[in-house]
Amino acid sequence: MTNLKSSILLFLILFSKSLVGQVTLSPSNATSESRITITFDATGTPLATETNIYAHAGVVTKNTPTPTGSDWGNVKGNWGKDDGIGKMTAIVGEPGKWKLELSPTLRQYFEVPSGTPIFWLALVFRNANGSKQTSPDIYVKLALDNFVAIVSPDPSSNQIFVEQGKNITITTEASPVANSIQLFVDTGAGFQSVGSVNNASQLQVNYVPVNSGSIKIKSVATFNTTSAEAIANYSVIFRSATITQNLPLGIKDGINYFSNDPTKAVFVLLAPGKDFVYLLGDFNNWKLDDNFLMKRTPDGERFWLEITGLQSQKEYIFQYWVEGTIKIGDPLSDKVSDPFNDASIPSSTYPNLPVNIRNENGIASVLQTGQTSFSWSANETSYVPPPKDELLIYELLLRDFIGSRRYKDLTDSLNYFKRLGINTIELMPIMEFEGNLSWGYNPSYFLAPDKMYGTKNDLKTFIDKAHQKGIAVVLDIALNHAFGQNSMVKMYWDKATNKPAVNNPWFNPDATHPFNVGYDFNHESPYTKAFVDTVTAYWLKEYHVDGFRFDLSKGFTQTKSGGDVGVWSTYDASRIDILNRINTEILKVNPKALVILEHFADESEEANLASKGMILWRNLNFDFREAMKGNTSQSFGNALAKTHVTYMESHDEERVPFEMKTNGASSTTYDIKDEGTYLDRMKMAAAFLYTLPGSKMLWQFQELGYDKSINSCSDGSINENCRLDNKPLVWGTGSLNYYTNAQRQTLFETYSAINSLVKTNKAVFKNGNTSWKSSGATRTINIQHTSMDVTIVGNFSISTATVQPGFSKSGTWFDYFSGEALTITDPTATFPLTPGEFHIYTTVKQPTPKAGLVTEIKNEPSGSFAIYPNPTSQKVYVSIGDKFYGYVQLSFKDMLGREIEKKSILYQGQAVELDVTKFEKGFYLINIRKDNGQNEITKLLIQD
């Protein structure tokens, strides 16, 4: 996830703050007991032009300084329905302003029980069908009523686990300071007082329950003439004391299987400082049982338990109940069961998924003994990925690449990649992420492939088959952050602040840098170091991946930047140490592993990391977008570094063809917005990137000129809120049908031809002496090598321009795409290029690619067509061939694209004489079109 992706999130945060300013309450000091009028100013929002606006509203009854979507309660509104619930009224005389009255009081409108405090009003405004909305959620702070609340035991858990004879701490808080606070407990015989305090805002009592079972706790606070009370219901569960015992020899964190005994497994959970953990699952009918109270290691770091009687190959769903109430899956499980999303996974993608009906418990892990090992191909042990400075990476989001979203069909597509000529596939994150449809940068279980794409063996088969075709597989991995579904986040969570607790072994309570999303890993923590090493080693060993692309690697820092992006981007020695350590551990597992960083930091920092063998991303998207749409002042920047993987498109940037289609420049004879034109220009862009030394990358369907915006919505509109939405497919029923589009297939073949040229002349393009002119209307690349020289020319403007190719020597050169020889007598000579025209010239003739990939505008005529003398001063003869008889259209254009003369002639097998004395001196383009549709363009020089 790059700076751009994070900047979108930052924009949304700022947008939310600005929206808060566009929402007013009357009265301004409204409480839950007030009749409230909400006023919304839709000016500048996606709803500015709507004729109907709805308020989708709720309340937050938790005392939190930063509410989130999970805090919403008592919601009013049916999303997408024009049913009147929450419908606002336009304010007469105040364009763009709308109002809604919550009556008779806010509490009654939302049906919040008396005694429950309301801290925030939560709002989202939408149009009638829900296709447009404000984003993110808007929260308006309410003035507080007199209230009292039970803080602990946690009222939301409803369960109290305690050793018999030990006390529980009951805490209640009031606001403002109460005249008195009283606590009562009812164990079945009515409420009995257990403590009181005067002139205080908090009361804490240690209470020893006599029996297990149901219990009610009530708190009553008095405030002068009023009072408030809160009641919470619990179930008291007596538990045994935790047994302290060392781990058995050879047992590690996570699920431990035994090949010689598939009836047992040992579970180990790293949970430093926790008091107790229960293991519950299908194997014990999900019953709290002290026989499944896990043992604790003497150092207090881990809990473990061996269970027996398991059925080989049967899948069991299970969870750890940390201190009885924190219900999590194993952080190191390789498969999870999601009661909310698994049902949406087609059986054709993942057959026979175990059914988890315990929605209230959330996501669980899956246990299966006696699994059959995957059979890798015989040559797998000898496979070696491409050298790090020869990578040609195809970045791929499986969700939007194939309609089925299956590894199986991706495996069937490997010939497509082979034909294109790439040697590495980079899969955007596939670790178990939140929901089913995602870019994958919201990971929750880092060792579990998300089931939406298929089974573990489907993924292994894809990697195995890719290796057989000489294609490496790199995983995009998001180890900068995790989200609330993650077990390690949930285990150590501060409900009061709504963020990771200060004692969380893995996560910072607050992110150290300004572009963070989710919860920020502390990469200097020994727990995080061990976790990262476990994750990377697992994927290298278990799935044979060839390396990783680390998302937002610049976030791997504990140096606090105070929200200053500039400070965050400066040289950070501690961050270098963190990444060097990770790289070192990866190379211990696989010395050939590829480590790619999405970094974008200080150049000296990137150079330091590169010196340790890591590869840095280099983003030239803006440079190429500007140049390709006709801005000739925009340079291509630094694309020559062999230490970087350079790209013109990635998942985070706008598509170059979309930019040309939308904002391309034009003249009377050349329009970049034309589809054929911008697809042709993408060929030129490829020639000016993929022939340069160092690793390169292309983003999926770049080779087909994908021209839908990164912000495309499902309804065809374009909105930044749709950035992460599913994008139109290029093939299959109901798709964009790029696969049957001749122009787009020609673009594919051109990419393939350029890649083939580079691959078959690896020494030239990798080690040759490369120089280039990377700005201006005409641009050049010149490569000199002992085995072959290369010259590439291109016109990036919208009018004809003269280029000095800078040929390294005189003699015969060959046009790669036409195969024709070009005699160079003066290496310093210049010649004109029409808009978008480009050529790749080599001193050694190469196998000629498929004809017709590039529009041929020749300096010399070819085939049966001839024009002579050339240059000329008075007359020119046009010959079309002895065997052709018919009408021919001739069009003369000057180098600005202006048509000077057009005529039709009847050709009868003999050369036709034309008088050119009326033309001014200079270069001209002659377009000759036969009546059978054949067409050819050549250049003519008229001189004295």
Side-chain angles (χ1 to χ4, degrees), residues 15-27:
F15 185 51
S16 174
K17 291 180 179 178
S18 66
L19 283 176
V20 171
Q22 291 179 260
V23 177
T24 58
L25 302 185
S26 179

Side-chain angles (χ1 to χ4, degrees), residues 278-317:
Y278 279 99
L279 179 63
L280 282 81
D282 294 339
F283 41 72
N284 62 4
N285 295 317
W286 292 87
K287 291 182 179 179
L288 284 166
D289 185 335
D290 281 357
N291 290 321
F292 290 87
L293 186 63
M294 301 181 75
K295 301 172 184 178
R296 182 169 51 198
T297 55
D299 58 6
E301 291 280 294
R302 290 171 171 80
F303 293 84
W304 67 275
L305 188 67
E306 178 181 305
I307 62 172
T308 59
L310 299 171
Q311 181 179 329
S312 180
Q313 297 191 340
K314 178 180 179 179
E315 291 190 312
Y316 298 87
I317 300 173

Side-chain angles (χ1 to χ4, degrees), residues 457-477:
N457 283 352
D458 290 341
L459 175 56
K460 291 177 181 179
T461 298
F462 165 71
I463 296 170
D464 190 33
K465 297 293 186 183
H467 286 172
Q468 291 180 46
K469 292 187 178 293
I471 298 174
V473 178
V474 169
L475 294 189
D476 193 343
I477 185 170

Side-chain angles (χ1 to χ4, degrees), residues 434-543:
E434 302 197 0
N436 278 339
L437 300 176
S438 170
W439 276 13
Y441 295 105
N442 51 345
S444 52
Y445 287 84
F446 288 78
L447 268 59
D450 197 285
K451 302 182 297 299
M452 189 62 189
Y453 299 147
T455 68
K456 294 183 290 185
N457 283 352
D458 290 341
L459 175 56
K460 291 177 181 179
T461 298
F462 165 71
I463 296 170
D464 190 33
K465 297 293 186 183
H467 286 172
Q468 291 180 46
K469 292 187 178 293
I471 298 174
V473 178
V474 169
L475 294 189
D476 193 343
I477 185 170
L479 275 167
N480 174 78
H481 56 265
F483 289 81
Q485 189 171 284
N486 178 263
S487 296
M488 300 178 299
V489 170
K490 293 173 69 175
M491 261 195 289
Y492 300 86
W493 182 255
D494 188 335
K495 291 186 178 181
T497 60
N498 201 39
K499 58 189 179 184
V502 293
N503 67 335
N504 192 304
W506 298 278
F507 294 93
N508 294 310
D510 298 295
T512 60
H513 60 93
F515 274 66
N516 188 72
V517 295
Y519 305 111
D520 183 35
F521 271 110
N522 174 1
H523 281 280
E524 289 184 351
S525 163
Y527 296 96
T528 301
K529 292 178 182 178
F531 177 73
V532 169
D533 295 343
T534 297
V535 171
T536 54
Y538 176 79
W539 287 98
L540 290 168
K541 293 177 180 178
E542 182 69 19
Y543 287 90

Side-chain angles (χ1 to χ4, degrees), residues 400-405 409 413 416 701 704 706 727-741 745:
D400 292 343
F401 188 77
I402 297 176
S404 68
R405 305 187 176 108
D409 296 311
S413 302
Y416 176 87
F701 303 133
L704 296 175
Y706 196 91
K727 295 299 182 279
L729 297 167
V730 305
W731 39 43
T733 304
S735 72
L736 300 172
N737 291 317
Y738 282 6
Y739 209 60
T740 58
N741 182 303
Q745 288 304 303

